[in-house]
Amino acid sequence: MTPRTTLAVTLLSMAATAAFCDAPDHTRGQAIYDRCIACHAIDRNRTGPLHCGLFGRKAGDAPGFTFYSDAMRNSGIVWNVQALEEFLRDPAAMVPGTTMGYAGIADSRERAELIAWLQDASRAGTRCTVPRVSGP
């Protein structure tokens, strides 16, 4: 190889390694979610709403969960990566008046790992099924 080719291969390898190292760790994401299970579950409502079908769902609109604060129900949030990132950083700042008694996740890496894991785990039809709720 020429020195230029060697340099190009080295730089590409370094970039690929950096990208891999920066990728969220799903195993850690699940471990971080374990902190949430006192109140939440992927497949059922608990003290807090279920997370199955979370992405794309309007805040305050989990099937069968009726214990939302007015602040959450009226927040206008639709859950996506950006909204979860902001909410998980500081729930009370994003939704003043929320009844979720959690200070948030200060570490941006942990938030990214949790969100990446949730994107997979909360996808309806893969690990969970969104319950049907009858009535108005």
Side-chain angles (χ1 to χ4, degrees):
M1 274 195 269
T2 67
R4 181 176 274 178
T5 304
T6 302
L7 176 62
V9 169
T10 301
L11 290 174
L12 285 172
S13 294
M14 288 172 61
T17 300
F20 177 75
C21 290
D22 287 343
D25 181 337
H26 279 65
T27 303
R28 283 194 34 136
Q30 184 171 11
I32 294 163
Y33 189 77
D34 286 347
R35 300 178 202 165
C36 308
I37 61 174
C39 298
H40 294 279
I42 294 294
D43 59 349
R44 67 188 181 287
N45 291 315
R46 299 184 75 184
T47 303
L50 81 160
H51 287 142
C52 186
L54 177 65
F55 287 82
R57 184 170 69 209
K58 183 180 173 208
D61 202 24
F65 189 78
T66 59
F67 302 107
Y68 284 108
S69 64
D70 288 339
M72 185 62 74
R73 202 175 5 265
N74 298 322
S75 68
I77 296 167
V78 174
W79 295 118
N80 59 31
V81 171
Q82 182 180 351
L84 277 171
E85 162 66 29
E86 185 178 343
F87 184 74
L88 291 171
R89 184 175 353 104
D90 190 347
M94 184 174 181
V95 184
T98 183
T99 55
M100 184 168 137
Y102 185 66
I105 300 171
D107 185 280
S108 62
R109 177 89 178 161
E110 287 189 355
R111 286 192 308 272
E113 290 168 340
L114 174 58
I115 291 167
W117 182 80
L118 271 170
Q119 283 182 295
D120 178 49
S122 67
R123 203 172 38 226
T126 56
R127 293 186 182 199
C128 61
T129 302
V130 177
R132 290 183 159 201
V133 178
S134 59

